[in-house]
Amino acid sequence: MSVSIVGVGLHPFGRHDITGREMGLIAAREALGDAGIGWQDVQFAAGGSRDSGHAAALVSELGLTGAPFI
């Protein structure tokens, strides 16, 4: 099995009037755009968060595809 990171995204550091979850969505969508793919093309995803809630909750915002998420 091989694993590929095909795109990266980053929300700017600093104080913003949005939640940590919204920042995560922005970064995830930027990563998908950088990779030139849509969320439906992802076969496996991993995420983590210490203060911004459950990273797995982002899949409901991105769209449930059935891809394994850790």
Side-chain angles (χ1 to χ4, degrees):
M1 175 170 64
S2 66
V3 175
S4 300
I5 298 173
V6 295
V8 295
L10 177 69
H11 186 276
F13 180 78
R15 294 188 184 269
H16 302 274
D17 291 329
I18 61 175
T19 67
R21 182 175 171 167
E22 290 169 316
M23 289 181 200
L25 286 169
I26 290 168
R29 289 181 178 130
E30 284 188 12
L32 292 168
D34 183 50
I37 62 172
W39 177 243
Q40 68 279 1
D41 300 313
V42 173
Q43 297 175 346
F44 175 85
S49 175
R50 188 178 85 88
D51 295 324
S52 299
H54 302 288
L58 294 179
V59 299
S60 65
E61 298 281 341
L62 293 168
L64 299 174
T65 65
F69 188 94
I70 294 177

